[in-house]
Amino acid sequence: MSDLNGTEIQRSPHFADEEDRRHVRDRVIFFSDAVIAIAMTLLALELPVPHGRTAAEAWHSFLELLPEEYLNFVISFGVIAAFWTAHHQYFRHIHAVDAALRRYNLGWLFLIVVVPFATRVNSQDGHFPLGPVLYAIVISGIALMMVFMALHAVRAHLLRPQAPPHAMRRLLVGAGAAAAVFLLSIPVSFASPS
Amino acid sequence: MSDLNGTEIQRSPHFADEEDRRHVRDRVIFFSDAVIAIAMTLLALELPVPHGRTAAEAWHSFLELLPEEYLNFVISFGVIAAFWTAHHQYFRHIHAVDAALRRYNLGWLFLIVVVPFATRVNSQDGHFPLGPVLYAIVISGIALMMVFMALHAVRAHLLRPQAPPHAMRRLLVGAGAAAAVFLLSIPVSFASPS
Amino acid sequence: MSDLNGTEIQRSPHFADEEDRRHVRDRVIFFSDAVIAIAMTLLALELPVPHGRTAAEAWHSFLELLPEEYLNFVISFGVIAAFWTAHHQYFRHIHAVDAALRRYNLGWLFLIVVVPFATRVNSQDGHFPLGPVLYAIVISGIALMMVFMALHAVRAHLLRPQAPPHAMRRLLVGAGAAAAVFLLSIPVSFASPS
Amino acid sequence: MSDLNGTEIQRSPHFADEEDRRHVRDRVIFFSDAVIAIAMTLLALELPVPHGRTAAEAWHSFLELLPEEYLNFVISFGVIAAFWTAHHQYFRHIHAVDAALRRYNLGWLFLIVVVPFATRVNSQDGHFPLGPVLYAIVISGIALMMVFMALHAVRAHLLRPQAPPHAMRRLLVGAGAAAAVFLLSIPVSFASPS
């Protein structure tokens, strides 16, 4: 039913005119960029400063923070950067944004906004699987949402006529693989001894 | 008088030319998007990390934070997302932004910026109605401002000629209903025993 | 010399073509909007939550925070909103952004970014004039920078041909008056008994 | 190999059409602006408020914070503003953004996002060279990345046909000099007695 709905919106589009269609698409992209940029930058906001009264102590503190806090920050930055690139590749090929895609996109942004929090939980908690599990759920959720968005774009005929024939295939494969890897990491993190 | 003023601005518009009109409209929308995106992302900034020395303790802490902090975050994200959608549907149909609409919009943004603060008050305060009351005032204020903006757009002839005839009606009904529900929740939260 | 420079840039513009000129102008405006939006939203980030174990205590705490923290937040939001409006009115009439205007604008943004900090200093310090003096310096600095920008636009012929003849006059009067009022408030805050 | 790749992408561009090319370029610039704006504004977020019970104490505290915290904030703001200007001058002359440039740009943004953290480390740590060394590494990294981006633009023929013949030269000289100065400051800060 949601399917039919999407297709119908596409067939008899509720856009007033060409300017309206472009305006809707551009604003959705713009708003997404702002949210992704903020989430990315906030990652660095709570990085702890290494402490120590001598140079040796400071370097020691720095090296201690490296594998947890600093590495997690770098990984999360890379993850958000990769998802921004995927989002960018996706919307390059989108002609019109319907109400369903707008909702998918807001859900996707919700999970992006949660990444800095999931990174903090992951950094502060080394003894039990809560951190890695939450992190894996959030990341695979973003990837899965991307899969749904790619499927919806094909089904609801939202692609640009100029888009290459298999524009969504690479995205489906990449996002699907990412979702699978992170979902599989969940039982592994429960099974692992540490 | 403010009415007359608005209509006059519309009749003899102070736009230098078409490029000026478009520039004014686009910048107001753009600036609003940036403010909404930041308010939305800041919601997650102060989410508390669950603590505990064992897995059981961490899950317990997580479950304790769930109904207050985490649920309130999800609700506020949903509320801002819904208002962004309404703002988006509104400006799709706006042809020209006059000085009065610019002021309404800044007032609307003020209340959006207050949402993360109202969410914090609501989360940290469970024993008396201050939190829910402040929250209800802010949310109904945003909805009411949206009603004023829709009425002003009709009165001051700010709509695009291509806009569907009842473009503002759905917005008026939706925002009006939201304002009514949240305003009604105020006396209820005083009356409720907890 | 800086004058001559500005005028020369204008006479033999270093823009490659029309697209380049527009790109430069749009990016300066866009970047400014993002900075202003973030400064505005960060104002609310450190608003203290009222505390208390009973409803009476919470209301009391709320009322105590009202004249300092909350009022200062509202004032600073209003100040930044007013300056955003002035910035918006200014750039509506700007045809080309030269290197000097780009530098003025970055200086202006620097002071905007300092507003949340000046607001915090003003809120936390009630017994001596440091807070009000810093605040008055920052606000009058923003207004003065606006005056310089308006003078520069006229001198370096940066205005759009379609701009009304006295496009900069209202801005000069408004920003000049704001600068004067806040500068005058400095000796007053030293003289005042509290 | 990466070279060949870049040139090939340029020769047989993967852009669907002119609109696609422009869309890709504009979104990369837009996203960068949002990230730079946030990093710039976050610098001011953790500026400490001067404390003291008398005016004399408050001024004393202010003067004490001046050479470390406040000066570092001003310097970092200036550094990010200078890099924004360089980024702006760079992209003015860019016609098409290929996958390699998108990656370079994300790396550049990563280092920009680290600047507020490096500033904090630099402010809180006065007794050993960790702070200045990290700061110098980050700043010279941003400048070096700019050099790579300029070289890549020339090599992969990404420049606009209308760009002046030596559009990248000034950028190469400026960014190269900045990278050299900051890299040279690292051994100096180890050798210096304080």
Side-chain angles (χ1 to χ4, degrees):
Chain A
M1 208 171 116
S2 156
D3 259 22
L4 258 172
N5 220 348
T7 322
E8 250 149 36
I9 282 166
Q10 185 55 11
R11 267 200 228 108
S12 59
H14 55 191
F15 299 112
D17 53 10
E18 174 62 17
E19 195 187 320
D20 186 30
R21 178 195 64 73
R22 180 182 291 271
H23 176 82
V24 169
R25 196 190 70 152
D26 288 357
R27 190 165 176 190
V28 167
I29 295 176
F30 174 89
F31 182 69
S32 308
D33 261 8
V35 171
I36 303 169
I38 302 160
M40 209 178 213
T41 318
L42 289 184
L43 283 174
L45 194 64
E46 302 194 9
L47 281 179
V49 171
H51 283 290
R53 270 164 308 168
T54 65
E57 271 178 46
W59 283 106
H60 185 255
S61 159
F62 180 82
L63 291 174
E64 233 175 23
L65 291 164
L66 198 60
E68 285 284 313
E69 306 276 354
Y70 298 152
L71 191 64
N72 280 343
F73 159 65
V74 174
I75 290 172
S76 285
F77 188 97
V79 162
I80 296 187
F83 279 122
W84 175 79
T85 305
H87 193 269
H88 169 65
Q89 297 289 14
Y90 177 79
F91 274 100
R92 273 176 74 179
H93 302 307
I94 293 297
H95 180 68
V97 174
D98 63 8
L101 178 49
R102 206 162 46 219
R103 277 193 293 267
Y104 276 126
N105 191 57
L106 285 170
W108 191 84
L109 290 176
F110 173 78
L111 291 169
I112 289 284
V113 163
V114 172
V115 170
F117 168 67
T119 307
R120 261 190 295 149
V121 173
N122 211 5
S123 291
Q124 290 183 23
D125 140 2
H127 305 298
F128 38 84
L130 179 60
V133 168
L134 178 68
Y135 199 79
I137 290 174
V138 170
I139 304 301
S140 55
I142 301 174
L144 270 181
M145 199 67 96
M146 203 90 239
V147 169
F148 295 146
M149 283 162 75
L151 292 175
H152 176 69
V154 173
R155 245 173 8 207
H157 309 290
L158 302 178
L159 294 174
R160 299 182 69 212
Q162 299 88 346
H166 301 299
M168 290 292 115
R169 193 189 276 172
R170 196 194 286 197
L171 209 68
L172 277 168
V173 171
V181 167
F182 276 96
L183 282 174
L184 280 173
S185 81
I186 297 176
V188 172
S189 74
F190 273 109
S192 74
S194 67
Chain B
M1 207 173 117
S2 154
D3 259 22
L4 258 171
N5 219 351
T7 323
E8 250 148 35
I9 282 165
Q10 187 55 13
R11 267 199 229 109
S12 59
H14 55 190
F15 298 113
D17 53 10
E18 174 63 17
E19 195 187 319
D20 186 30
R21 178 194 64 73
R22 180 182 291 270
H23 176 81
V24 169
R25 195 189 70 153
D26 286 357
R27 191 166 175 189
V28 167
I29 295 175
F30 174 89
F31 182 69
S32 308
D33 260 7
V35 171
I36 303 168
I38 302 160
M40 207 179 215
T41 318
L42 290 184
L43 283 174
L45 195 63
E46 302 193 9
L47 282 179
V49 170
H51 283 290
R53 269 163 311 169
T54 64
E57 271 178 46
W59 282 107
H60 185 254
S61 159
F62 180 83
L63 291 175
E64 233 175 26
L65 290 165
L66 198 60
E68 286 282 315
E69 307 276 355
Y70 298 151
L71 191 64
N72 279 343
F73 159 66
V74 174
I75 290 172
S76 285
F77 188 97
V79 162
I80 297 187
F83 279 122
W84 175 80
T85 305
H87 193 269
H88 169 65
Q89 297 289 14
Y90 176 79
F91 275 99
R92 273 176 74 179
H93 301 308
I94 293 297
H95 180 67
V97 173
D98 63 8
L101 178 49
R102 206 163 47 220
R103 277 192 292 268
Y104 277 126
N105 191 55
L106 285 170
W108 191 84
L109 290 176
F110 173 78
L111 292 169
I112 289 284
V113 162
V114 173
V115 170
F117 168 68
T119 307
R120 262 190 295 147
V121 173
N122 210 5
S123 291
Q124 290 182 24
D125 142 2
H127 304 300
F128 37 86
L130 179 60
V133 167
L134 178 68
Y135 200 80
I137 289 174
V138 171
I139 303 303
S140 55
I142 301 174
L144 269 181
M145 198 68 95
M146 203 90 238
V147 169
F148 295 146
M149 282 163 74
L151 292 175
H152 176 70
V154 174
R155 244 173 10 205
H157 309 291
L158 302 178
L159 294 175
R160 300 182 69 211
Q162 299 87 347
H166 301 298
M168 291 292 113
R169 192 188 276 171
R170 196 194 287 197
L171 210 67
L172 277 168
V173 172
V181 166
F182 276 97
L183 282 175
L184 279 172
S185 81
I186 297 177
V188 171
S189 74
F190 272 107
S192 74
S194 65
Chain C
M1 209 172 115
S2 153
D3 259 22
L4 259 171
N5 220 350
T7 324
E8 249 147 37
I9 283 165
Q10 186 56 12
R11 266 199 230 109
S12 59
H14 56 191
F15 299 111
D17 53 9
E18 174 62 18
E19 194 187 320
D20 186 30
R21 178 194 64 73
R22 179 182 292 270
H23 176 82
V24 170
R25 195 189 70 154
D26 287 358
R27 191 165 175 191
V28 167
I29 295 175
F30 174 89
F31 182 69
S32 307
D33 261 7
V35 171
I36 304 169
I38 302 159
M40 207 178 215
T41 318
L42 289 184
L43 284 174
L45 194 63
E46 302 193 10
L47 282 179
V49 171
H51 283 291
R53 269 165 308 168
T54 63
E57 271 179 45
W59 283 105
H60 185 255
S61 160
F62 180 81
L63 292 174
E64 231 175 26
L65 290 165
L66 198 61
E68 285 283 314
E69 307 277 354
Y70 297 151
L71 191 64
N72 280 343
F73 159 66
V74 174
I75 290 172
S76 286
F77 188 97
V79 162
I80 297 187
F83 279 122
W84 175 79
T85 305
H87 193 270
H88 169 65
Q89 297 289 14
Y90 176 79
F91 275 99
R92 273 176 74 179
H93 302 307
I94 293 297
H95 179 68
V97 173
D98 63 9
L101 178 49
R102 205 162 48 219
R103 277 193 292 268
Y104 277 125
N105 191 56
L106 284 170
W108 191 84
L109 290 176
F110 173 78
L111 292 169
I112 289 284
V113 162
V114 172
V115 170
F117 168 68
T119 307
R120 262 190 294 147
V121 174
N122 211 6
S123 291
Q124 291 183 23
D125 140 3
H127 304 300
F128 37 85
L130 180 60
V133 168
L134 178 68
Y135 200 78
I137 289 175
V138 171
I139 304 302
S140 55
I142 301 174
L144 269 181
M145 199 68 96
M146 203 88 237
V147 169
F148 294 146
M149 283 163 75
L151 291 175
H152 176 69
V154 173
R155 244 172 10 206
H157 309 290
L158 303 177
L159 295 174
R160 300 182 69 212
Q162 299 86 347
H166 301 298
M168 291 291 115
R169 193 187 275 173
R170 195 194 286 196
L171 210 66
L172 278 168
V173 172
V181 166
F182 276 97
L183 282 175
L184 280 173
S185 81
I186 297 178
V188 171
S189 73
F190 272 108
S192 74
S194 67
Chain D
M1 205 171 118
S2 155
D3 259 23
L4 258 172
N5 219 352
T7 323
E8 249 148 36
I9 282 165
Q10 186 55 12
R11 268 199 228 109
S12 59
H14 54 191
F15 299 112
D17 53 10
E18 174 62 17
E19 194 187 320
D20 186 28
R21 178 194 65 72
R22 179 182 292 271
H23 176 82
V24 169
R25 196 189 70 153
D26 287 357
R27 190 166 175 190
V28 166
I29 295 176
F30 175 89
F31 182 68
S32 307
D33 260 8
V35 171
I36 304 169
I38 301 159
M40 208 177 215
T41 318
L42 289 184
L43 284 174
L45 194 64
E46 302 194 10
L47 281 179
V49 170
H51 283 291
R53 270 163 309 167
T54 64
E57 271 179 45
W59 282 105
H60 185 255
S61 159
F62 180 82
L63 291 174
E64 232 175 24
L65 290 165
L66 197 61
E68 285 283 315
E69 307 276 354
Y70 298 151
L71 191 65
N72 280 343
F73 159 65
V74 173
I75 290 172
S76 285
F77 188 97
V79 163
I80 297 187
F83 279 122
W84 175 79
T85 306
H87 193 269
H88 169 64
Q89 297 289 14
Y90 177 80
F91 275 100
R92 272 177 75 179
H93 302 307
I94 293 298
H95 180 68
V97 174
D98 63 9
L101 178 49
R102 204 162 49 219
R103 277 193 293 267
Y104 276 125
N105 191 56
L106 283 170
W108 191 84
L109 290 176
F110 173 78
L111 292 169
I112 289 284
V113 162
V114 172
V115 170
F117 168 67
T119 307
R120 261 190 294 148
V121 174
N122 210 6
S123 291
Q124 291 183 22
D125 141 2
H127 304 300
F128 38 86
L130 180 59
V133 168
L134 178 68
Y135 199 78
I137 289 175
V138 171
I139 304 302
S140 55
I142 300 174
L144 269 181
M145 200 67 97
M146 203 89 239
V147 169
F148 295 146
M149 282 163 75
L151 291 176
H152 176 70
V154 173
R155 245 173 9 207
H157 309 290
L158 302 177
L159 294 175
R160 300 182 69 211
Q162 300 87 347
H166 301 298
M168 290 292 114
R169 194 188 274 172
R170 196 193 285 196
L171 209 68
L172 278 168
V173 171
V181 166
F182 276 98
L183 282 174
L184 280 173
S185 80
I186 296 176
V188 171
S189 75
F190 272 108
S192 74
S194 67

